[in-house]
Amino acid sequence: MDLKTLEDLIRIFEASGLGELEIEEDGRRMCLKKSGAGPAYQAAYAPMNPLPAPVAVPHIPEPEHVATIDSPMVGTFYLAAAPGEPAFAAPGDRIAESQTVCIVEAMKLMNEVGAKIACIIEKVLVENGQPVEFGQPLFAIRPL
Amino acid sequence: MDLKTLEDLIRIFEASGLGELEIEEDGRRMCLKKSGAGPAYQAAYAPMNPLPAPVAVPHIPEPEHVATIDSPMVGTFYLAAAPGEPAFAAPGDRIAESQTVCIVEAMKLMNEVGAKIACIIEKVLVENGQPVEFGQPLFAIRPL
Amino acid sequence: MFRRILIANRGEIALRVIRACRHMGITSIAVYSTADQNCLHASLADESICIGPPQANLSYLNIPSIIAAAEIADAQAIHPGYGFLSENPKFATICKDCHIGFIGPSPETIALSGDKSVCRARMKAAGVPTVPGSEGLIQDAETAVKLAKDIGFPVLVKATAGGGGKGMRIAHNDVALQHAVNMASTEAAAAFGDGGVYLEKYIENARHVEVQILGDHQGRIVTLGERECSIQRRHQKLIEETPSVALTPSLRAKMMKAAYRAAKAINYTNAGTVEFLLAPDNQFYFIEFNARIQVEHPVTEEVTRKDLVCEQIRISAGEPLGYSAVKTEGHAIEARVYAEDPMQNFAPSPGLIKNCHLPGGPGIRVDTHLFTGYEVPRYYDSLLAKVIAWGQDRNQAIERLAGALDEFRIDGVKTTAALCATILRSGRFRRGDISMNTIDHFLPKVG
Amino acid sequence: MFRRILIANRGEIALRVIRACRHMGITSIAVYSTADQNCLHASLADESICIGPPQANLSYLNIPSIIAAAEIADAQAIHPGYGFLSENPKFATICKDCHIGFIGPSPETIALSGDKSVCRARMKAAGVPTVPGSEGLIQDAETAVKLAKDIGFPVLVKATAGGGGKGMRIAHNDVALQHAVNMASTEAAAAFGDGGVYLEKYIENARHVEVQILGDHQGRIVTLGERECSIQRRHQKLIEETPSVALTPSLRAKMMKAAYRAAKAINYTNAGTVEFLLAPDNQFYFIEFNARIQVEHPVTEEVTRKDLVCEQIRISAGEPLGYSAVKTEGHAIEARVYAEDPMQNFAPSPGLIKNCHLPGGPGIRVDTHLFTGYEVPRYYDSLLAKVIAWGQDRNQAIERLAGALDEFRIDGVKTTAALCATILRSGRFRRGDISMNTIDHFLPKVG
C-alpha cells in the first residue's frame, strides 16, 4: 500500500464515526484506532427529533449498492443539459472516468458532475429536477 | 478493495445499528468497530463538586475494617452516659449482642446504640462529643 | 440575617433554596437520605448531612433527625420547602422551642390552614366569600342530605384534614351523598388520622385561581397577583400561568382585596397562597390557604422579578417588606414534568435517567434536580422538573414553553412533557377556554 | 412576514434564530456541514440541508451552496447569525439580487462598517467623537511616525479591514512604530486581502462600552442601552454586562446620543452595535460598527425584555419599530464559555463532551448547542455556551452567574467557565474596577 492510499484511508477513517478499523489483505494487516475511543462516554446523541427530512429535499434513500456517485454540492439535479436533450447517463450505460453523468445547478451555474471512476450505471437515485444535498447519492454504480 | 468501496462500506455500517462488523473474503479480513460502543448511557454522574464534607460533621473515614457499628441516626456521639462516667466500650472490649456501646443524642434524647452481633471492639472511629451522620461508622469491630 | 440555613427537603425545591442561599451569601446545609446521596441538592449545598434511610418517614419526615442535623450543623433556620414537614404545625413548634428559625408562617397559622372547616368558618366571618356549604363539620349522613337539598346538588364532601385530592368525593343525589360521607370519612381517618368531613356545593367547570401573598412580621401584607392553575391531573396541578385570562381588571382587584382580607384576618406571615374557585358566572370562593412556598411560585417570580424564596428568608429574619405593591410585566407559564405515564392514568415511572438534556434560550427557566445518570427513586414525589417561560404576551409564553418542552430530552422514564406541550398548543388552551376538567380532553378515554 | 427562513450559521446562534422562528410561527431551515450532521441546529430546525464538507470555506462560507440551499428550500430570507457571512457585503448583495431577504443591514452599510478608516472619517464628519489618529489610511512608516509625534505615543496601528484583534499592533516609540506598520500591513494583507492600515492614539486602561441599536426601514433608530465588554482575552470578549458601572446617567445620555447620531448618519437598518472606547477621564471615542447581531445581545434582552432576533426579523420584513425608547430593569451579565484552556493562553480545546450538565434556576438563561456526546469540532469558533444572569442589582447578577458557572458541568474539554467565575467573584470586578487589561490579573504570568 502506498503512502497516498494510506493517507486517504486515514482521512476516510477520521471523517467516519468509527472507533476502530482493521484490514487484513495479502498477508498485510492494518489496524486504525481513534484516540480516546472507549466506553467511558456516550458516543452518539440520537437527537430527540431525529434529523428531520427537509420538505424540499427528499430523504436520502438507503443505498442498496455499495458504490455511488454523490452530489458534490447542494442544488438542483438535472439528468440532461436542457429539456428535450438526451440524458447524460442511464441505467446500463458504461461510463468512463471523468465522464459527465449529470448536472447540479446552484445559483444559475450548471455544475457538471463527472464519474470518479469508470463504471456502469445501475440506477438513477434522484428524479430529474429534484433538489439534492451535499453528499447525497445520485447514481448507484458498479465499478469496472 | 478500493478506497471508494471502503468509504461506502463505512457509510453503510455507520447507518446500521451494528456495533461491530467483520468480513473475511478471499484471504482478506476487515473489522469495523464503532467508537463508544458499550453501555448505552453513562452510568455514573460524578458531581462537579464532589459531595462536600460538612464542616460540622467530620468526613466519614474510609472503613479499614470490613465490620463496623454504624450510627442509626444523625446526632451527637457520646462514649459514656455522662461526663466522668466510664465509656460503654473501648478497644479490646468483648461486646455481647445488643449490649450498649455508645449514645447518639438527638433532640435532647439519649439514644443508646447497641451492637447487632457479639464482637470485639477494634477501634473507636469517632471522638467523644462529635456530630455523626446517619450510617456513619462509629466502631470498627471483629465479629465473634 | 441568618448565616446558616438547613434545607429540610430534596429535589428541585431543595436546589431552589440552595441557590437562594448562595445569592444571599448564606451557607446552605442539605440533608439527604441514603437513597439521595448522589443527588444534586447534596452535592451543590455548601454542606450536607445524611439523615436516614430512603423511606421518607425515617428521613425527610423524621423530626428528631432533622432537628439533630440542624443542631450539629449549627443552622440558625430551617427552610422546609413544600411537602414533607412544610405544613406540619408540630414541626414548626419544635423549631421554635429549639430556637431554630422556621422559614414559613407561625405554627398557629399552619394549624389553622390545615383544619379546613375551621379555616372556612374564619374566612366567612372575615367577609371572604366561601363556597356555600356546612357550618363546620357534619355529624352524620342525614344532616348532610338535608343541607345538600338546601344548597342544591351536586355537592362535594371534603376532609377537614385533607389535601392533594385525598378524602374528597362528589355526590349528585341523596343515596350517593350518604355513601360519600361514609367513604370520605373513612378515607380521611386512614390518611390523615382525622375523619372529620364537611360539605361544599360542587361548582361545575370552575377554574382554580390562587393569589400569592407575602406577610412580614411588621404586619404588612402584600398581594403579588394571581396564578391560574386549572390544568390539573388527579387534583394536582400540571400547568400554571399568570395572569389568568379569566380575570378582568375589576375582578382581579376584587380577588386581590379578598385575598388581602383573608391573610389579614389571620395575621399571615411569610409566603403563602390564598386559593379560590372561580365559577363560570365570575363569582369566586375561598377554598384554602397553602401555608408555604408553592411549586408554581416561579411564574409569579418571572412577571414580578421578585425572588420569593429570598423574600421568605428575609421575612423570617425579621426584615420588613420594603413595598406594598408590585408591578408585573408580561405573561409566564409553568409546565410540570413528572415521571409519570399520562397514557396509564399518570402511573409513576421511576427509573434511571439515561440521558437528560435541558432546554434553554430566551425566556426559558428550568428548575430541576435531574442529571444524566440520576435514578428517579420510588420513595418520593414524581416531580422531575419545572419549565417556565416568560413572554411579552401569553402567546409568546405559550410558543416559548411548548418549544422548550420539545427540546427537553429525558430518556429512561415516561414523563408529562409531551402532554404539556400538546395542551399548550391546543386551540382550547390558546383560547383560555379551560377549567379543572380540561385535562380530560387530552387523555385516552376510559372505556 | 416571512414564512420560511434559512439560517446560514451553526452553533448557539443558529439555535437562537431557530427558537425565534419557532416563537414567530416561521418555518426554520438549518444548513449544516458533514461535520455537524448530529448538531442540535440540524435536528431542532424544522428542515435541514447538508451544504458541504467540514471546512468552513466549503460549507458555511460557501455562498453558492447557501444560496442554492435557500432556493431549493424556498426560503424567503436568510439569517446570517454572527461571524461567517454575516458581515460580507458581497453575500448581502447576492441575496438581494436573488430576491432573498438578508436579515441584517444593507450591503452598503456592511461595506462601510467593514472599511474602518473610511467609517471613522464618516463618523468624524457626523460629529461623533473618534480617537485622535490618521485621516484615512497611512501611506508609509515615515508619515506614521510624524503623525504619532503629533498625537503622542503610544499609538495603535489598525488594519482597515481588520477585526477580532487581527492586524492590530501597539507601538510605544518610532522604531517600534515603523516595524508595527509593516507587520500589521503584511498581516492584514494575508488575513483580509487588504493591507491598508491606519493610526489611532492608544488609550491606556480604556473600557470597551458599546451601544445596541435597532433601525427600521421607516428611518427610525432606537438605542437600547449600553453593554460593557471590557473583560476580553486576545481582543475577544469574555464577560459582558449592562448597565456599565462606568456610566453616570449624564454620560450615558451623551453616549446614547452619539450612538444615535452615528447610526443616523449612515441610515442604519436592522440590529447593530456602535462600539466606543471609554477613557479613564470619561471621554469616549467611536471605534467601529458591528453590523450584525452580537454574541452578547442576551444581556440587553434580559434588561429590556425585548427579543432582538425577533426584532431583526420583523424589521427585515418591513415592519416598523413600534417604539422610540425602551425601559430597562435590573442588571444582566453574560459569561462566555469557550472550549479553550485559560492556563495555556486560551489554546483551543476541541474534543468529545463526555458529560454536559446545564445550570438553571431563577434569573439564569443558557444559550448553547452543547449536549452530552457532542464532539467540539476543530473547524469552527470555540464558543460552547453563553450563561446569562439577570439580577435586581449588579450584586445579585454576579452571585447568580458565578453560582451557575459553578453548577455548569462540561467534561471532556477545557473551558473558560471557572475563569469567568473567578473574575466575577474578584474584588476588582465587584468594585467595577475593570478595563480591557483586567484579564491579565487572572492569568498565569508569562516568564
Side-chain angles (χ1 to χ4, degrees):
Chain A
M1 183 179 282
D2 64 17
L3 285 178
K4 182 75 188 90
T5 314
L6 176 62
E7 212 173 335
D8 288 337
L9 184 63
I10 288 173
R11 192 166 26 80
I12 291 168
F13 174 67
E14 277 188 326
S16 79
L18 295 185
E20 201 171 327
L21 173 65
E22 203 175 321
I23 298 173
E24 208 162 341
E25 190 182 9
D26 307 333
R28 263 183 336 210
R29 202 180 138 270
M30 180 178 295
C31 177
L32 291 83
K33 274 187 202 171
K34 276 186 192 158
S35 62
Y41 51 84
Q42 193 205 1
Y45 172 89
M48 191 159 198
N49 310 318
L51 199 61
V55 169
V57 180
H59 200 61
I60 302 172
E62 283 295 317
E64 297 153 17
H65 305 258
V66 170
T68 55
I69 298 175
D70 301 339
S71 178
M73 67 193 64
V74 58
T76 306
F77 172 83
Y78 292 110
L79 264 170
E85 294 276 309
F88 289 109
D93 284 5
R94 176 177 292 256
I95 304 291
E97 194 188 317
S98 300
Q99 185 181 334
T100 298
V101 289
C102 67
I103 279 172
V104 175
E105 182 251 303
M107 272 185 75
K108 319 286 173 236
L109 278 174
M110 300 296 165
N111 301 283
E112 295 183 14
V113 179
K116 281 190 182 145
I117 50 167
C119 60
I120 287 174
I121 301 288
E122 300 225 311
K123 200 172 171 186
V124 185
L125 301 173
V126 178
E127 272 185 63
N128 191 49
Q130 287 302 302
V132 292
E133 290 185 83
F134 171 81
Q136 181 172 346
L138 304 174
F139 297 91
I141 57 169
R142 185 149 40 86
L144 288 175
Chain B
M1 182 179 285
D2 65 18
L3 286 176
K4 183 75 187 94
T5 313
L6 175 63
E7 213 173 335
D8 290 335
L9 183 63
I10 288 174
R11 190 152 33 74
I12 291 167
F13 171 67
E14 281 188 325
S16 79
L18 296 183
E20 200 171 328
L21 173 66
E22 204 173 324
I23 298 172
E24 206 160 345
E25 190 184 10
D26 307 332
R28 262 183 338 209
R29 202 183 135 265
M30 181 176 295
C31 177
L32 292 82
K33 275 186 201 171
K34 276 185 192 161
S35 65
Y41 54 86
Q42 194 205 359
Y45 174 90
M48 192 160 199
N49 310 317
L51 200 60
V55 170
V57 179
H59 199 63
I60 302 172
E62 282 296 316
E64 298 153 15
H65 304 257
V66 171
T68 54
I69 298 175
D70 301 339
S71 178
M73 68 193 63
V74 58
T76 307
F77 172 82
Y78 292 110
L79 264 170
E85 295 277 310
F88 288 111
D93 284 4
R94 178 178 289 257
I95 304 292
E97 192 190 319
S98 300
Q99 186 181 332
T100 297
V101 288
C102 67
I103 279 172
V104 175
E105 181 250 305
M107 273 186 75
K108 318 287 174 235
L109 278 173
M110 300 297 167
N111 302 283
E112 295 185 14
V113 178
K116 280 190 181 142
I117 49 167
C119 60
I120 287 174
I121 301 289
E122 299 225 311
K123 200 172 172 188
V124 185
L125 302 173
V126 178
E127 271 185 63
N128 192 48
Q130 288 301 301
V132 292
E133 289 185 83
F134 172 81
Q136 181 171 348
L138 304 174
F139 297 92
I141 57 169
R142 184 150 41 85
L144 286 176
Chain C
M1 182 46 66
F2 309 119
R3 285 171 296 99
R4 300 173 62 82
I5 290 178
L6 181 134
I7 298 122
N9 215 305
R10 66 180 301 282
E12 70 85 18
I13 193 65
L15 248 67
R16 176 70 189 83
V17 181
I18 289 166
R19 286 166 174 157
C21 288
R22 187 198 289 146
H23 303 158
M24 298 175 77
I26 296 168
T27 300
S28 57
I29 300 140
V31 296
Y32 62 95
S33 73
T34 51
D36 280 351
Q37 61 184 348
N38 293 321
C39 277
L40 283 186
H41 75 283
S43 55
L44 290 182
D46 295 314
E47 300 173 17
S48 60
I49 298 174
C50 183
I51 51 162
Q55 298 84 338
N57 62 323
L58 299 176
S59 52
Y60 298 106
L61 287 169
N62 183 340
I63 296 179
S65 286
I66 285 169
I67 297 289
E71 286 183 337
I72 67 174
D74 197 21
Q76 296 153 305
I78 294 179
H79 196 300
Y82 51 69
F84 291 133
L85 296 171
S86 63
E87 289 178 290
N88 182 323
K90 188 176 146 210
F91 180 62
T93 305
I94 289 172
C95 285
K96 204 173 183 180
D97 294 347
C98 293
H99 305 289
I100 298 169
F102 175 83
I103 301 174
S106 68
E108 297 72 32
T109 299
I110 295 174
L112 174 65
S113 63
D115 192 343
K116 303 195 186 309
S117 75
V118 174
C119 190
R120 200 175 117 82
R122 280 284 288 279
M123 289 304 115
K124 207 172 162 183
V128 179
T130 55
V131 185
S134 58
E135 305 274 346
L137 300 181
I138 47 177
Q139 301 311 323
D140 50 52
E142 287 71 51
T143 331
V145 170
K146 209 174 287 171
L147 182 60
K149 282 185 176 154
D150 282 355
I151 60 176
F153 280 102
V155 294
L156 214 49
V157 183
K158 290 170 97 173
T160 191
K166 281 200 191 99
M168 192 157 95
R169 303 244 154 190
I170 303 175
H172 288 269
N173 58 48
D174 306 22
V175 182
L177 178 57
Q178 290 185 1
H179 182 68
V181 167
N182 296 330
M183 288 297 288
S185 180
T186 309
E187 202 172 292
F192 312 111
D194 177 352
V197 294
Y198 62 102
L199 208 69
E200 267 183 14
K201 183 163 174 55
Y202 176 69
I203 296 167
E204 288 177 280
N205 294 314
R207 291 166 179 264
H208 180 113
V209 181
E210 61 191 27
V211 176
Q212 175 68 52
I213 53 170
L214 287 174
D216 66 18
H217 289 283
Q218 289 71 30
R220 175 177 282 174
I221 302 280
V222 179
T223 58
L224 292 93
E226 79 280 6
R227 292 187 288 260
E228 166 145 14
C229 318
S230 297
I231 307 291
Q232 305 189 350
R233 59 100 181 73
R234 292 198 268 112
H235 302 287
Q236 289 177 348
K237 297 158 190 170
L238 193 61
I239 296 177
E240 302 101 340
E241 63 180 314
T242 186
S244 164
V245 292
L247 298 193
T248 59
S250 73
L251 187 54
R252 176 173 297 112
K254 267 173 74 180
M255 191 181 279
M256 293 305 134
K257 216 165 153 183
Y260 180 88
R261 189 181 298 139
K264 202 75 190 169
I266 61 172
N267 294 318
Y268 199 98
T269 54
N270 218 288
T273 304
V274 189
E275 308 214 332
F276 293 101
L277 278 187
L278 176 62
D281 64 359
N282 279 347
Q283 293 298 310
F284 62 84
Y285 307 98
F286 170 88
I287 342 174
E288 62 183 50
F289 278 102
N290 275 179
R292 51 171 162 84
I293 192 76
Q294 278 194 298
V295 177
E296 62 270 25
H297 75 275
V299 296
T300 300
E301 294 186 326
E302 292 307 306
V303 298
T304 62
R305 293 196 129 168
K306 291 252 170 251
D307 187 315
L308 294 182
V309 177
C310 290
E311 293 297 79
Q312 287 193 289
I313 294 170
R314 281 191 206 103
I315 289 169
S316 279
E319 293 187 10
L321 290 166
Y323 47 89
S324 51
V326 293
K327 270 186 314 184
T328 66
E329 188 187 356
H331 199 99
I333 314 181
E334 171 182 283
R336 298 194 193 183
V337 178
Y338 286 100
E340 294 178 359
D341 184 355
M343 294 303 107
Q344 303 291 333
N345 198 26
F346 298 98
S349 175
L352 180 72
I353 305 296
K354 296 179 188 173
N355 194 359
C356 161
H357 185 74
L358 307 184
I364 297 301
R365 164 176 169 187
V366 184
D367 277 44
T368 185
H369 55 295
L370 270 189
F371 57 86
T372 301
Y374 175 65
E375 176 94 36
V376 181
R378 287 168 294 120
Y379 304 102
Y380 317 113
D381 186 74
S382 57
L383 182 66
L384 295 182
K386 308 186 303 202
V387 184
I388 303 102
W390 180 90
Q392 206 85 50
D393 53 32
R394 187 169 188 262
N395 195 48
Q396 191 182 36
I398 288 174
E399 294 298 340
R400 283 178 167 177
L401 184 53
L405 290 167
D406 291 348
E407 288 181 24
F408 201 168
R409 179 173 181 181
I410 305 172
D411 293 353
V413 300
K414 305 256 187 219
T415 82
T416 53
L419 171 66
C420 287
T422 303
I423 295 173
L424 288 164
R425 290 198 174 102
S426 67
R428 195 177 286 270
F429 188 85
R430 283 183 191 273
R431 286 191 304 275
D433 173 18
I434 50 180
S435 79
M436 287 159 76
N437 303 321
T438 297
I439 190 105
D440 300 333
H441 297 283
F442 298 93
L443 298 179
K445 297 281 174 286
V446 181
Chain D
M1 181 47 64
F2 308 120
R3 284 171 297 99
R4 300 172 63 81
I5 290 177
L6 181 134
I7 298 121
N9 216 305
R10 66 179 302 283
E12 69 85 18
I13 193 63
L15 250 66
R16 175 71 188 83
V17 181
I18 289 167
R19 286 166 175 158
C21 288
R22 187 199 290 146
H23 302 158
M24 297 176 78
I26 296 168
T27 300
S28 58
I29 300 140
V31 296
Y32 62 95
S33 74
T34 51
D36 280 351
Q37 60 184 349
N38 294 320
C39 277
L40 284 186
H41 75 283
S43 54
L44 290 182
D46 295 315
E47 301 172 18
S48 60
I49 298 174
C50 183
I51 52 162
Q55 298 85 337
N57 62 321
L58 299 177
S59 51
Y60 298 107
L61 286 170
N62 183 340
I63 296 180
S65 287
I66 286 171
I67 297 289
E71 286 183 339
I72 67 173
D74 196 21
Q76 296 153 307
I78 294 179
H79 196 300
Y82 50 69
F84 292 132
L85 296 171
S86 63
E87 290 178 290
N88 182 323
K90 188 177 146 213
F91 180 62
T93 305
I94 290 172
C95 285
K96 204 173 182 180
D97 293 346
C98 294
H99 305 289
I100 297 171
F102 175 83
I103 301 173
S106 68
E108 296 72 32
T109 300
I110 296 175
L112 175 65
S113 63
D115 191 342
K116 302 198 186 304
S117 76
V118 173
C119 190
R120 201 175 116 81
R122 280 283 289 276
M123 290 304 114
K124 207 171 162 186
V128 179
T130 55
V131 185
S134 58
E135 306 274 344
L137 301 180
I138 47 175
Q139 301 311 324
D140 51 51
E142 287 71 52
T143 329
V145 169
K146 208 174 289 172
L147 181 60
K149 282 186 174 153
D150 282 357
I151 61 176
F153 282 101
V155 294
L156 213 50
V157 182
K158 290 171 96 173
T160 190
K166 279 201 192 94
M168 193 156 96
R169 305 244 153 191
I170 302 175
H172 289 267
N173 56 49
D174 309 20
V175 182
L177 177 58
Q178 291 184 0
H179 182 69
V181 167
N182 296 329
M183 287 297 289
S185 180
T186 309
E187 202 172 293
F192 312 111
D194 177 352
V197 295
Y198 62 102
L199 208 69
E200 268 183 13
K201 184 163 174 54
Y202 176 68
I203 295 166
E204 288 176 281
N205 294 314
R207 291 167 178 262
H208 180 113
V209 182
E210 62 192 26
V211 177
Q212 175 69 51
I213 53 170
L214 287 175
D216 66 18
H217 288 283
Q218 290 71 32
R220 175 177 281 175
I221 302 280
V222 179
T223 59
L224 293 93
E226 80 279 7
R227 293 186 288 259
E228 167 145 13
C229 317
S230 298
I231 307 291
Q232 306 188 351
R233 59 99 181 73
R234 290 198 270 111
H235 302 288
Q236 290 177 348
K237 298 159 189 170
L238 194 60
I239 296 177
E240 302 102 340
E241 63 180 314
T242 186
S244 163
V245 292
L247 298 192
T248 59
S250 73
L251 188 53
R252 177 171 296 113
K254 266 173 75 180
M255 190 180 279
M256 294 305 136
K257 215 166 152 184
Y260 179 89
R261 190 182 299 138
K264 201 76 190 169
I266 60 171
N267 296 317
Y268 200 97
T269 55
N270 217 287
T273 304
V274 188
E275 309 215 333
F276 294 102
L277 278 188
L278 176 63
D281 65 358
N282 278 348
Q283 292 299 310
F284 61 87
Y285 307 98
F286 170 87
I287 341 173
E288 63 182 50
F289 279 102
N290 275 178
R292 52 168 162 85
I293 193 75
Q294 277 194 298
V295 177
E296 61 271 26
H297 75 276
V299 297
T300 300
E301 293 186 326
E302 291 307 306
V303 300
T304 62
R305 293 196 129 168
K306 291 251 170 254
D307 187 316
L308 295 183
V309 177
C310 290
E311 294 296 80
Q312 286 192 290
I313 295 171
R314 278 190 208 105
I315 290 169
S316 279
E319 293 186 10
L321 290 165
Y323 47 90
S324 52
V326 293
K327 272 186 311 184
T328 65
E329 189 186 355
H331 200 99
I333 314 180
E334 171 182 282
R336 298 193 193 184
V337 179
Y338 286 99
E340 294 178 359
D341 184 354
M343 294 302 107
Q344 301 293 332
N345 197 27
F346 299 98
S349 176
L352 180 73
I353 305 296
K354 296 179 188 172
N355 195 359
C356 162
H357 184 75
L358 307 183
I364 297 302
R365 164 176 169 187
V366 184
D367 277 44
T368 185
H369 56 294
L370 270 189
F371 58 86
T372 300
Y374 175 66
E375 176 95 35
V376 181
R378 287 168 294 121
Y379 305 100
Y380 317 114
D381 186 75
S382 58
L383 181 66
L384 295 181
K386 308 187 304 202
V387 185
I388 304 103
W390 181 90
Q392 206 84 51
D393 52 33
R394 187 169 188 264
N395 196 47
Q396 191 183 35
I398 289 174
E399 294 299 339
R400 283 179 167 177
L401 184 53
L405 290 168
D406 290 348
E407 289 181 24
F408 201 168
R409 178 171 183 183
I410 305 172
D411 292 355
V413 301
K414 305 255 188 220
T415 82
T416 53
L419 171 66
C420 287
T422 302
I423 294 172
L424 288 164
R425 291 199 174 100
S426 68
R428 195 177 285 270
F429 188 86
R430 284 183 192 272
R431 286 191 305 275
D433 173 18
I434 51 180
S435 79
M436 287 159 75
N437 303 320
T438 296
I439 190 105
D440 300 333
H441 297 282
F442 298 93
L443 298 178
K445 296 282 174 286
V446 182

